[in-house]
Amino acid sequence: MSLVTGLDILSVARKGKYGVGAFNTNDMEITQAILEAAEEAHSPVIVSLSEGAIKYGGDALIDMVIHEAKQATVPVAVHLDHGSSYESCMRCIRAGFTSVMIDKSHEDEETNTREVKRVVEAAHAVGVSVEAEIGRLGGIEEHVVVTEDQVSLTEPSEAKRFIDNTDADFLAIAIGTSHGANKGKGRPFIHHDRIKEIAVVVPQPLVMHGASGVPQDIVARLIAAGGKIEGAVGIHEDDVRKAVTEGIAKINTDTDLRLTFTAVVREILMNTPEQFDPRKILGPARTEMKRIVAERIDVFGSANKA
Ligand code: G3H
Ligand code: 13P
Ligand code: ZN
């Protein structure tokens, strides 16, 4: 089973009207939490590394993730998240990634199209899938900060033109989500009509970035253990369940795992001040992140699709 391309996983998901989680990793514990949960649920999964993750973990992280993905008993794609340049994508392809995102969504359409085409030509020549983005989500990523007034929903006609002109394999769209733990006040409004309109003209799998649910019990535990976080709000799981029936096939989740990791580590450090064995601190964090991944897989509907 093991290492497959992003498109192998996502084309089946789009047709089957379910979503597949693309979970961000930065270390061994997160990677194992993702893969173990996927294996137990018999679910395909995408393991994503951002440029920030790669800078943090270097080749050691890349090699570990690819090694673990190859050993997995379910289909796994190893994906570059929000690649900022052609060079960054090529480095990942050379290292063995099976999927890359080239994100030029903050540029004008002409530049975005030109840059994506370049990556697509090189990636397709070696059988690697490419994700591109059109429209602008809110929130913070490694190399771009998008404020509320800069957010713009993806237009169906521009999405179609862009995918036709670039030949990208899957398309990230802006439909009301945003990156990070503060996705709005109350329940963030997801533009389901827009997803459906885009899905009519773009048959490729669609991608929802900024899809974390920001579980309020985890936020409460983080705060109770001394963490400071205000107005943390995520995407309602009913919106995700609905979106996967409308054309969304790849669902990105990072914040939920970050919150969970930090809540558990804080609890252990607070409740057992005598503890200094890293395994007794990181191990329980891994277990809890695995539980969160399993819950997400259930919401996405990808269990037993491996
Ligand atoms: O969308 C961005 C991901 O959450 C990765 O974040 O660039 O801080 O690793 P990062
Ligand atoms: P969240 O911040 O909602 O987890 O989104 C992560 C993401 O989109 C990674 O590309
Ligand atoms: Zn993202």
Side-chain angles (χ1 to χ4, degrees), residues 176-203:
T177 62
S178 57
H179 289 106
N182 300 85
K183 299 188 192 294
K185 292 184 179 66
R187 178 171 166 175
F189 186 79
I190 301 304
H191 297 256
H192 290 283
D193 286 348
R194 187 59 68 94
I195 300 174
K196 287 188 268 185
E197 284 161 19
I198 296 169
V200 168
V201 291
V202 177

Side-chain angles (χ1 to χ4, degrees), residues 195-241:
I195 300 174
K196 287 188 268 185
E197 284 161 19
I198 296 169
V200 168
V201 291
V202 177
Q204 286 82 352
L206 302 174
V207 183
M208 183 189 269
H209 280 250
S212 273
V214 186
Q216 292 302 305
D217 56 327
I218 298 286
V219 172
R221 284 170 61 183
L222 180 65
I223 292 169
K228 215 171 164 186
I229 184 163
E230 277 169 25
V233 172
I235 304 303
H236 198 285
E237 68 173 52
D238 289 348
D239 282 314
V240 175
R241 287 184 199 275

Side-chain angles (χ1 to χ4, degrees), residues 4-135:
V4 299
T5 70
L7 190 61
D8 287 336
I9 292 175
L10 295 174
S11 55
V12 192
R14 164 101 204 235
K15 283 194 199 97
K17 293 187 187 298
Y18 61 89
V20 175
F23 297 94
N24 286 77
T25 188
N26 296 283
D27 64 16
M28 184 189 78
E29 284 76 13
I30 305 172
T31 308
Q32 290 175 335
I34 298 165
L35 293 177
E36 284 175 23
E39 287 182 324
E40 283 178 21
H42 304 288
S43 168
V45 77
I46 298 171
V47 181
S48 290
L49 293 106
S50 68
E51 290 177 351
I54 292 170
K55 193 168 166 200
Y56 173 74
D59 288 338
L61 176 64
I62 292 175
D63 292 349
M64 181 273 296
V65 171
I66 291 175
H67 176 267
E68 292 291 300
K70 282 182 177 164
Q71 305 302 313
T73 57
V74 293
V76 182
V78 177
H79 175 77
L80 169 65
D81 192 27
H82 294 285
S84 64
S85 67
Y86 176 86
E87 291 71 25
S88 179
C89 293
M90 293 311 116
R91 175 191 174 184
C92 290
I93 291 172
R94 275 194 293 273
F97 283 50
T98 54
S99 177
V100 292
M101 176 184 191
I102 172 74
D103 182 4
K104 294 284 182 185
S105 57
H106 49 288
E107 305 278 3
D108 58 61
E109 188 183 329
E110 197 187 326
T111 311
N112 192 357
T113 301
R114 189 180 61 243
E115 295 291 317
V116 171
K117 259 179 99 168
R118 230 179 126 209
V119 172
V120 165
E121 275 164 24
H124 283 182
V126 290
V128 169
S129 322
V130 179
E131 174 180 342
E133 175 170 333
I134 191 136

